[in-house]
Structures are given as structure tokens and as C-alpha cells.
Amino acid sequence: MAQVQIMSVIGSAVPAQLRARGLLACWYLVQDGEPISGPLTSLPAAQALSQRIGSGQLSA
């Protein structure tokens, strides 16, 4: 199984809904170059979800 990585995006790459809320950055979990999560609003949230996925605590 490929490793889950955290990808950050900034500026105009941030979805419009989040930019409208004043967020200038967001994070996604990616596996094999494909996003496996929606935009997350904080790095700690992305890290927590990554750990849950890595430990098998998240059911699909």
C-alpha cells in the first residue's frame, strides 16, 4: 500500500468557499498523487486524519 502524504495548497489553489472564509491555505491527503480527502482547514487536522488512516482506524 502506498504511503499517505499531506499536500498543502495556498492562494488561488484554495477552494473558493474557503477563501471566502478568509483561509489562504488548506491541506489534502494524497496517495499515489491522487487526493483522498477533501480540503482540510488546518495542518493538525490533516496530520490527525493521516494517522487515523495509517493505523487503519478509518473505515471507507
Side-chain angles (χ1 to χ4, degrees):
M1 187 164 121
Q3 181 178 353
V4 173
Q5 297 178 318
I6 298 172
M7 174 183 77
S8 63
V9 295
I10 59 170
S12 62
V14 175
Q17 319 86 290
L18 297 181
R19 286 195 321 268
R21 291 176 33 201
L23 295 169
L24 300 177
C26 67
W27 294 261
Y28 291 87
L29 297 185
V30 240
Q31 189 171 40
D32 294 328
E34 296 292 325
I36 60 169
S37 77
L40 300 160
T41 58
S42 73
L43 179 57
Q47 291 168 326
L49 183 55
S50 176
Q51 287 179 339
R52 287 178 54 206
I53 290 171
S55 66
Q57 294 179 10
L58 189 66
S59 59

